[in-house]
């Protein structure tokens, strides 16, 4: 380690930026193949001098104000930007402590961000020479004083800069910026091309290399830096897989730091914890003033990748193939709860776009998929290169808020982490005017602050009136609640006399106020409309149901093609006709806003029931049904793009059956996807097309594609609905101390003409009766797999329905439905068993506890070991008793005698009710037979036979001689 103390003579200017050297900087990728690193380069072709503006008028934003943050930039910063060379890489970092710094070439300018007009503290420092480009991530400033105590703060502040190739320069006090020490860091021969610098208690630092080495640097009393490896073994990632557990139950990766790549390092001062995200997973250390302890190692990368892939491509019919080709790049990590910014893309997509996602991880050593949340943002630019993706970072201003700001050189994208309620309107704010670039950012004074090359430090502030709803829906909602001549509808003095239609409009108006962040006004209007001590819950249910129905079935009236189709009263939520897929996504967002509104205003817990399909249903579950249908509609739209001919034909048939007119300037898809609540009508029409293809074509090659595509569409739509119902169950859960609710019949389990249960039963018959006999082995396998997925959906509907009936007063209905379910289950699975599809039959029979099918399967395959496994697996459901009874009913009593020892106790218990057989299993068979002979009074021959058998068993037993003689005498006396 080379340690040199510098005390330059003369003024502190001796440490300032020297004249730039000729030539560019070397790229680390040249020295270390495969590493992603950008050599020095400029993003602008000419120099430009930033101008300070009070309101960033050049930027256009619907929901945000971009305002100057702090006082004017220091002159040195302005000069540095003006004098910067074309090949100088410029980066800026802003910290909550109030310090900001800019790296421009080998010049480091540190200044104190001031909220007043007081002259800002500014220091101009020279960085160690390096052949690689610096970034602001290689600098750290200590600070323990408040934001506005600048003079004291300068005297007590330290600074450390590390060059990419491992040369550290330490300033013990910024008040004496000409005095510093220099140290060469030992990174075991690895080029330090991507370093994060983090500050700890006691004035020490941690430096991390791109390859995973961690060093702790501590200044001694003379200002020299003492270095040592972090206490963790041989390298930063060596503990992964050795200690503690995986967050998601996945084994830790091998501790080979030579193949690890560090994506991000994060120091959380409040908890004293250090996090590292690498190609080996996520690691955590607890750090105090003198030591570090690696407490957890999580092999999270695969589960994160899988979860992101599921969130983006799960609705695709060829998902299993897509999943193999998905790439995920990890870009940044921040803490409001642990949040990882990642981007995913699939090279086979046309066009290939990058989906930016925010993944929230809950820290726990207990494996659980519930510990991960993926939010796929709407920022999905065309994919260019992984290097371009790495330029995007994330800022999370408030720990208690899900608000998030993604940024790169050209833009800021506002969004939400998805881990909490509320969030920001998703919007792209461009900084691409001539000469402008974003050079960095951070959080200061609780605000997201970015450094614009043209305008300096700017804060992005959400407008208080900005709505959570999509912009066009916001506008049309205003229209739908307007009174005469476009004036807002006023709340009448006597709310009791208001018609339900007007109450619907007024509650919409309260919803609009809520979306504009006026919770107090919204709550006040809700309390007037539906006072908590009042009656009329049925009216509340009707109003809420109508509003949500208006959302999902909204007319896109802002599209001029729809102008003639929108109802004159304008009571709906009109929405611009975007691409149909985006329109459906916006409807889903509006539904979530409505659920948030109902929850926060207390209306959600007051909802009771509503009539649906001629039966009452809990209103909460009806709202969930609307969202499920939106999920299914989004899946159908994706299939529409892949199979336009099939889906268009089915859509035309569905519109014809419902007598829906199609205007000449609209497509059938425009009309059909508008009314999401009727999305299930497509199922029956798809089966009609399938049946038509089966009748018209005898060659399997002609009809197979249609059948497989129909199966995929129906299956994927039902699975999307079920997934939404399962993952969002907590949002629609009944309140505590809720009274009995009506029987729950999901729309995916509806019967009758056109009902989903009826459709699946029909498809079961079509596949097994018409398609299967004419299919080859490969096609039979595919058809069976698809059919099993459909049957799974049908049976799960029965289970949900039965679960809702498990309460007092519903026993009779429960028994009736259970008998129907048992019979239907057998009718659906038995044909598959006959066709030899044992694997699929077993999967469904095990999941839905069809013991009869399981026993038949084991008997057919003569698999006794599997039968024993079921006895253990379903012991709490008395599978053994069912098996013994099945043997009795099928006349296979002999098998009762060949049961393994482990089941003898269960068998003995079962045979207690069958005395004529129990002696065969009884250890005292002679006594049992003797007792039966004593009870026989009708047939002498039978009595004689029983006594003879008793005598024989007594002779064969190993009882004592005296007992033996006594038993035989008793038999002789009879």
């Amino acid at each position: 380690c080379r340690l040199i103390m510098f005390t330059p003579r003369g003024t502190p200017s001796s440490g300032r930026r020297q004249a730039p050297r000729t030539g560019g900087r070397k790229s680390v990728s040249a020295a270390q193949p495969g590493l992603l690193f950008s050599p020095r380069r400029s993003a602008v072709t000419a120099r430009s001098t930033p101008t300070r503006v009070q309101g960033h008028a050049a930027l256009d934003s619907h929901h945000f104000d971009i305002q100057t943050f702090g006082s004017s930039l220091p002159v040195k910063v302005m000069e540095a930007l003006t004098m910067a060379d074309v090949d100088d890489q410029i980066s800026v970092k802003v910290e909550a402590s109030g310090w900001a710094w800019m790296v421009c070439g080998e010049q480091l300018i540190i200044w104190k961000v001031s909220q007043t007009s007081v002259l800002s503290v500014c220091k101009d420092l020279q960085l160690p020479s390096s052949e690689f480009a610096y970034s602001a991530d290689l600098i750290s400033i200590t600070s323990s004083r408040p934001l506005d105590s600048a003079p004291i703060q300068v005297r007590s502040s330290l600074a450390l800069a590390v060059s990419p190739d491992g040369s550290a320069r330490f300033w013990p006090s910024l008040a004496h910026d000409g005095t510093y020490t220099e140290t060469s860091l030992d990174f075991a021969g690895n080029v330090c091309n991507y370093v994060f610098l983090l500050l700890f208690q006691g004035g020490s630092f941690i430096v991390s290399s791109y390859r995973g080495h961690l060093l702790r640097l501590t200044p001694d009393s003379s200002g020299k830096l003492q270095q040592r490896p972090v206490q963790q073994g041989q390298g930063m990632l060596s503990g992964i897989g050795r200690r503690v557990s995986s967050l998601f139950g996945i084994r830790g990766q091998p501790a080979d730091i030579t193949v690890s790549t560090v994506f991000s390092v994060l120091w959380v001062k409040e908890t004293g914890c250090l996090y590292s995200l690498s190609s080996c997973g996520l690691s955590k250390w607890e750090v105090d003033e003198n030591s570090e302890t690696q407490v957890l190692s999580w092999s999270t990368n695969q589960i994160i990748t899988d979860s992101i892939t599921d969130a983006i491509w799960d609705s695709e019919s060829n998902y299993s193939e897509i999943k193999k080709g998905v790439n995920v790049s990890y870009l940044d990590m921040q803490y409001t709860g642990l949040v990882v910014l990642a981007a995913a893309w699939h090279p086979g997509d046309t066009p290939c776009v990058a989906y930016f996602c925010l993944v929230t991880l809950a820290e726990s050593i207990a494996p659980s998929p519930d510990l991960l949340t993926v939010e796929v943002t709407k920022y999905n630019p065309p994919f260019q290169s992984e290097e371009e993706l790495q330029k995007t970072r994330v800022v999370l201003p408030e720990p208690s808020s899900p608000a998030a700001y993604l940024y790169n050189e050209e833009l800021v994208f506002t969004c939400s982490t998805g881990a909490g309620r509320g969030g920001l309107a998703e919007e792209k704010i461009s900084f691409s005017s001539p000469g402008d670039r974003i050079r960095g950012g951070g959080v200061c004074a609780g605000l997201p602050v970015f450094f614009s090359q043209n305008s300096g430090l700017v804060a992005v502030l959400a407008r208080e009136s900005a709505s959570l709803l999509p912009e066009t829906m916001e506008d049309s909602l205003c229209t739908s609640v307007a009174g005469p001549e476009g004036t807002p509808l006023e709340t009448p003095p006597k709310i009791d006399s208001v018609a339900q239609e007007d109450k619907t409009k007024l509650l919409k108006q309260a919803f609009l106020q809520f979306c504009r962040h006026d919770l107090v006004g919204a709550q006040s209007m809700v309390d007037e409309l539906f006072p908590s001590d009042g009656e009329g819950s049925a009216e509340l249910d009707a109003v809420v149901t109508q509003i949500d129905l208006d959302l999902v079935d909204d007319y896109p009236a802002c599209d001029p093609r729809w102008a003639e189709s929108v109802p004159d009263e304008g009571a709906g939520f009109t929405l611009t006709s975007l691409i149909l897929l985006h329109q459906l996504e916006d409807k889903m967002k509006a539904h979530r806003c409505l659920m948030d509104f109902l929850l926060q205003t207390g209306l959600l817990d007051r909802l009771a029931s509503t009539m649906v399909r001629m039966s009452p249903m809990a209103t909460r579950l009806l709202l969930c049904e609307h969202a499920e249908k939106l999920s299914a509609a989004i899946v159908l739209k994706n299939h529409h793009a892949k199979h336009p001919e099939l889906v268009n034909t089915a859509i035309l048939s569905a519109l014809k059956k419902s007598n829906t007119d199609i205007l000449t300037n609209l497509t059938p898809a425009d009309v059909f996807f508008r009314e999401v609540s009727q999305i299930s009508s497509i199922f029956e029409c798809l089966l009609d097309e399938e049946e038509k293809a089966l009748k018209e074509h005898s060659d399997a090659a002609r009809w197979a594609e249609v059948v497989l595509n129909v199966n995929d569409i129906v299956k994927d739509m039902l699975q999307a609905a079920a997934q939404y119902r399962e993952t969002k169950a907590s949002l629609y859960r009944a309140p505590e101390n809720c009274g009995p609710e009506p029987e729950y019949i999901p729309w995916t389990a509806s019967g009758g003409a056109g009902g989903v249960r009826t459709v699946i039963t029909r498809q079961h018959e079509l596949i097994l009766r018409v398609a299967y006999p004419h299919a080859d082995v490969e096609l039979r396998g595919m058809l069976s797999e698809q059919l099993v997925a459909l049957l799974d959906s049908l049976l799960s509907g029965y289970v949900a329905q039965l679960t809702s009936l498990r309460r007092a007063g519903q026993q009779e209905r429960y028994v009736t439905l259970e008998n129907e379910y048992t019979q239907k289950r057998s009718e659906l699975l038995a044909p598959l068993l006959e066709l030899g599809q044992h694997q699929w039959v077993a999967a469904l029979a095990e999941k839905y506890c069809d013991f009869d099918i399981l026993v038949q399967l084991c008997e057919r395959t003569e698999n006794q070991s599997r039968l024993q496994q079921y006895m253990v697996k379903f012991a709490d459901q008395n599978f053994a008793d069912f098996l013994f009874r099945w043997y009795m009913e099928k006349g296979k009593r002999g098998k009762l005698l060949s049961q393994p020892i482990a089941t003898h106790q269960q068998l003995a218990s079962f045979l207690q009710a069958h005395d004529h057989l129990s002696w065969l299993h009884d250890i005292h068979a002679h006594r049992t037979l003797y007792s039966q002979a004593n009870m026989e009074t009708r047939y002498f021959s039978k009595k004689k036979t029983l006594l003879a058998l008793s005598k024989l068993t007594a002779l064969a037993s190993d009882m004592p001689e005296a007992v033996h003689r006594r038993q035989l005498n008793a038999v002789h006396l009879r």
Side-chain angles (χ1 to χ4, degrees):
C1 175
R2 181 173 59 90
L3 181 62
I4 304 174
M5 174 69 80
F6 290 91
T7 307
R9 297 176 182 175
T11 64
S13 63
S14 59
R16 293 182 181 174
R17 184 176 184 272
Q18 302 169 355
R21 297 176 294 174
T22 58
R25 298 288 183 259
K26 196 183 288 186
S27 169
V28 172
S29 59
Q32 298 264 350
L35 302 185
L36 291 176
F37 190 86
S38 298
R40 295 190 174 194
R41 60 187 178 86
S42 174
V44 292
T45 57
R47 297 172 182 172
S48 59
T49 302
T51 56
R52 302 291 287 165
V53 290
Q54 189 61 33
H56 207 292
L59 298 176
D60 183 24
S61 173
H62 295 292
H63 302 104
F64 298 88
D65 290 321
I66 294 81
Q67 298 180 359
T68 297
F69 184 79
S71 58
S72 299
L73 282 180
V75 174
K76 292 177 182 179
V77 176
M78 308 285 284
E79 289 178 349
L81 290 172
T82 304
M83 300 300 294
D85 294 334
V86 172
D87 67 338
D88 280 339
Q89 183 168 308
I90 301 172
S91 61
V92 177
K93 197 165 186 178
V94 182
E95 285 205 336
S97 63
W99 285 110
W101 58 88
M102 180 176 73
V103 173
C104 182
E106 289 179 358
Q107 182 182 15
L108 169 62
I109 302 175
I110 303 171
W111 74 98
K112 189 67 172 13
V113 179
S114 175
Q115 299 282 31
T116 67
S117 59
V118 177
L119 184 63
S120 177
V121 175
C122 181
K123 293 294 179 178
D124 186 357
L125 307 177
Q126 179 66 34
L127 296 171
S129 296
S130 174
E131 60 180 331
F132 302 110
Y134 276 93
S135 79
D137 286 322
L138 308 182
I139 315 298
S140 184
I141 311 294
T142 72
S143 179
S144 58
R145 299 287 182 176
L147 187 62
D148 295 325
S149 58
I152 299 176
Q153 198 173 38
V154 172
R155 290 196 296 271
S156 62
S157 296
L158 320 173
L160 179 63
V162 178
S163 68
D165 42 12
S167 180
R169 181 170 291 183
F170 174 62
W171 288 266
S173 172
L174 288 180
H176 306 286
D177 54 2
T179 301
Y180 54 84
T181 61
E182 222 170 63
T183 306
S184 292
L185 304 182
D186 181 13
F187 281 114
N190 286 312
V191 175
C192 193
N193 70 321
Y194 191 54
V195 180
F196 287 91
L197 197 60
L198 305 167
L199 170 67
F200 290 90
Q201 303 98 319
S204 62
F205 301 84
I206 290 246
V207 183
S208 167
S209 79
Y210 189 84
R211 286 305 193 190
H213 287 79
L214 281 175
L215 293 179
R216 184 155 183 174
L217 309 182
T218 305
D220 59 20
S221 57
S222 65
K224 298 179 181 179
L225 288 174
Q226 303 298 324
Q227 61 176 306
R228 63 169 175 80
V230 167
Q231 299 170 5
Q232 56 165 342
Q234 297 180 351
M236 172 177 131
L237 301 168
S238 61
I240 291 183
R242 295 185 181 180
R243 192 188 174 213
V244 225
S245 55
S246 162
L247 175 62
F248 297 99
I250 300 177
R251 291 183 304 166
Q253 300 293 328
D256 183 0
I257 63 172
T258 61
V259 296
S260 67
T261 301
V262 175
F263 305 124
S264 186
V265 178
L266 180 65
W267 163 244
V268 183
K269 180 175 62 176
E270 292 76 12
T271 61
C273 293
L274 174 71
Y275 298 87
S276 173
L277 180 65
S278 75
S279 56
C280 291
L282 186 67
S283 299
K284 177 183 177 182
W285 287 263
E286 292 179 352
V287 184
D288 57 31
E289 292 188 6
N290 301 309
S291 64
E292 315 84 29
T293 305
Q294 185 173 2
V295 293
L296 291 175
S297 296
W298 306 315
S299 300
T300 55
N301 292 6
Q302 189 59 53
I303 191 70
I304 290 177
T305 298
D306 290 345
S307 297
I308 290 174
T309 304
D310 290 346
I312 298 172
W313 287 280
D314 185 47
S315 61
E316 301 290 337
S317 59
N318 58 335
Y319 172 67
S320 58
E321 291 299 320
I322 289 177
K323 191 171 184 178
K324 299 174 184 177
V326 171
N327 296 308
V328 174
S329 182
Y330 300 96
L331 312 178
D332 198 7
M333 180 168 56
Q334 296 295 330
Y335 193 87
T336 55
L338 208 56
V339 178
V340 174
L341 172 64
W345 72 97
H346 188 279
D349 285 353
T350 304
C352 181
V353 299
Y355 297 92
F356 282 78
C357 307
L358 291 166
V359 183
T360 303
L361 298 172
E363 298 175 45
S364 172
I365 61 173
S368 170
D370 297 334
L371 298 176
L372 182 148
T373 302
V374 177
E375 180 73 7
V376 183
T377 73
K378 289 186 178 180
Y379 179 48
N380 45 12
F383 175 77
Q384 299 178 39
S385 68
E386 190 167 0
E387 184 179 356
E388 285 296 315
L389 297 179
Q390 294 291 337
K391 296 177 182 178
T392 303
R393 299 286 189 90
V394 62
V395 167
L396 306 176
E398 293 290 340
S400 60
S401 170
Y405 300 79
L406 313 186
Y407 71 95
N408 55 31
E409 290 183 341
E410 299 180 349
L411 59 86
V412 172
F413 186 83
T414 61
C415 56
S416 168
T417 63
R421 297 192 176 278
L424 297 176
E426 293 194 81
E427 184 179 347
K428 182 172 72 173
I429 305 171
S430 177
F431 284 76
S432 56
S433 59
D436 198 10
R437 287 292 185 272
I438 294 177
R439 296 305 187 185
V443 178
C444 191
L447 298 174
V449 178
F450 304 95
F451 188 92
S452 160
Q453 183 148 337
N454 282 358
S455 304
L457 291 175
V458 295
V460 178
L461 306 175
R463 293 174 185 162
E464 291 186 3
S465 60
S467 177
L468 299 173
L469 292 169
E471 180 189 359
T472 49
M473 182 174 285
E474 162 78 11
D475 295 338
S476 59
L477 178 55
C478 293
T479 304
S480 72
V481 298
E485 299 180 359
T487 60
L489 193 66
E490 295 183 358
T491 305
K494 293 184 177 181
I495 204 73
D496 295 338
S497 62
V498 178
Q500 180 174 309
E501 180 181 353
D502 287 336
K503 279 194 175 184
T504 302
K505 289 185 178 182
L506 288 169
L507 190 59
K508 284 183 183 181
Q509 188 167 316
F511 175 42
L512 178 61
Q513 287 181 265
F514 171 83
C515 292
R516 290 175 171 176
H517 309 284
D518 182 10
L519 181 57
V520 175
Q523 186 69 62
S524 176
M525 185 171 286
V526 166
D527 292 341
E528 287 187 51
L529 284 169
F530 301 101
S532 57
D533 57 348
E535 298 181 359
S537 61
E539 186 177 36
L540 172 61
D541 289 293
V543 168
V544 170
T545 299
Q546 186 60 51
I547 291 176
D548 197 44
L549 193 63
D550 288 345
L551 284 173
V552 298
D553 286 349
D554 183 39
Y555 282 86
C558 295
D559 185 339
R561 300 177 306 151
W562 276 91
E564 299 177 22
S565 300
V566 181
D568 293 335
E569 61 271 18
F573 291 79
T574 56
L575 175 64
T576 299
S577 182
L578 309 170
I579 299 174
L580 283 174
L581 187 59
H582 290 165
Q583 179 183 340
L584 295 170
E585 290 171 348
D586 282 344
K587 287 184 176 184
M588 179 67 85
K589 184 174 181 179
H591 169 82
R592 291 172 182 166
C593 288
L594 178 65
M595 293 303 300
D596 203 10
F597 164 70
L598 296 174
L599 178 68
Q600 295 198 35
T601 56
L603 292 178
L604 187 61
D605 287 349
R606 295 171 57 191
L607 297 176
S609 62
T610 307
M611 292 299 293
V612 182
R613 295 181 288 275
M614 307 300 292
S615 300
M617 178 189 289
T619 305
R620 294 172 296 95
L621 299 179
L622 177 58
L623 300 180
C624 182
E625 177 177 309
H626 291 163
E628 292 171 24
K629 288 183 174 180
L630 276 168
S631 299
I634 290 171
V635 170
L636 178 61
K637 186 64 193 72
N638 288 328
H639 278 289
H640 183 219
K642 299 172 189 174
H643 316 296
E645 183 177 354
L646 172 62
V647 177
N648 275 330
T649 306
I651 283 175
L652 281 169
S653 177
L655 294 175
K656 184 177 180 180
K657 287 184 178 182
S658 63
N659 296 318
T660 303
D661 295 329
I662 305 171
L663 299 179
T664 54
N665 50 348
L666 294 173
T667 67
D670 286 330
V671 178
F672 181 78
F673 282 104
R674 194 276 303 172
E675 197 171 8
V676 175
S677 63
Q678 302 301 316
I679 199 72
S680 61
S681 63
I682 197 71
F683 294 144
E684 192 174 36
C685 300
L686 285 169
L687 262 63
D688 290 342
E689 292 305 309
E690 175 187 74
E691 196 166 13
K692 182 179 177 182
L694 286 168
K695 289 180 179 179
E696 293 179 352
H697 307 296
S698 57
D699 183 9
R702 303 286 298 276
W703 54 257
E705 183 179 2
V706 175
V707 175
L708 293 175
N709 288 340
V710 168
N711 281 336
D712 270 338
I713 294 171
V714 177
K715 168 181 66 71
D716 291 349
M717 289 177 67
L718 294 178
Q719 287 178 347
Q723 183 179 19
Y724 182 91
R725 184 186 308 148
E726 180 180 348
T727 57
K728 303 296 183 182
S730 61
L731 184 60
Y732 304 91
R733 185 179 292 123
E736 294 182 7
N737 303 320
C738 177
E741 292 192 336
E743 178 181 350
Y744 174 48
I745 308 176
W747 69 279
T748 53
S750 57
V756 176
R757 193 174 284 173
T758 307
V759 166
I760 295 177
T761 303
R762 177 186 170 191
Q763 182 71 342
H764 176 272
E765 183 180 358
L766 277 173
I767 291 176
L768 297 185
R769 180 176 55 83
V770 183
Y772 194 92
H774 304 288
D776 57 25
V777 175
E778 182 180 4
L779 182 55
R780 285 183 174 184
M782 297 169 67
L783 289 172
S784 299
E785 182 178 358
Q786 291 177 325
L787 180 58
V788 165
L790 294 175
L791 297 182
D792 183 31
S793 178
L794 185 148
L795 296 174
S796 67
Y798 269 112
V799 171
Q801 196 174 347
L802 284 166
T803 302
S804 70
L805 292 171
R806 287 177 182 163
R807 61 178 186 274
Q810 294 289 342
Q811 292 87 345
E812 184 177 348
R813 170 60 182 156
Y814 183 90
V815 171
T816 302
L817 182 63
E818 187 178 35
N819 291 335
E820 178 187 332
Y821 165 58
T822 303
Q823 181 181 351
K824 193 72 173 179
R825 185 181 62 194
S826 178
E827 291 174 355
L828 295 172
L829 297 186
L832 286 172
L833 181 62
E834 293 293 331
L835 294 172
Q837 296 293 338
H838 297 160
Q839 176 186 357
W840 298 116
V841 170
L844 283 179
E846 289 177 19
K847 181 175 180 179
Y848 294 102
C849 301
D850 192 328
F851 294 165
D852 183 58
I853 291 293
L854 291 177
V855 174
Q856 288 187 56
L857 174 62
C858 293
E859 288 294 305
R860 285 171 179 267
T861 57
E862 298 182 352
N863 192 337
Q864 291 302 306
S865 62
R866 190 172 195 171
L867 205 54
Q868 300 308 315
Q869 291 173 11
Y870 289 148
M871 285 189 182
V872 175
K873 182 176 181 179
F874 300 112
D876 59 336
Q877 299 181 55
N878 297 320
F879 181 87
D881 278 5
F882 180 90
L883 175 65
F884 301 150
R885 188 166 58 254
W886 191 89
Y887 283 148
M888 294 278 291
E889 293 173 354
K890 301 299 181 182
K892 297 185 178 183
R893 296 178 176 84
K895 290 206 171 186
L896 294 174
L897 303 180
S898 60
Q899 295 300 307
I901 295 176
T903 65
H904 281 188
Q905 185 175 357
Q906 294 168 297
L907 181 58
S909 177
F910 172 78
L911 290 176
Q912 285 181 356
H914 304 276
D915 288 344
H916 63 291
L917 292 175
S918 62
W919 66 273
L920 292 171
H921 185 259
D922 197 342
I923 192 170
H924 302 297
H926 59 281
R927 294 181 183 175
T928 304
L929 290 166
Y930 183 74
S931 298
Q932 290 188 32
N934 288 336
M935 291 186 290
E936 181 57 54
T937 58
R938 187 173 181 180
Y939 299 105
F940 177 76
S941 59
K942 183 177 180 180
K943 186 181 186 75
K944 184 177 180 181
T945 300
L946 291 171
L947 287 171
L949 288 173
S950 178
K951 182 176 180 180
L952 287 174
T953 54
L955 289 171
S957 69
D958 57 355
M959 68 181 70
E961 182 65 27
V963 178
H964 198 214
R965 191 180 305 110
R966 190 165 56 252
Q967 183 67 29
L968 291 176
N969 289 336
V971 172
H972 290 151
L973 291 174
R974 301 299 299 176

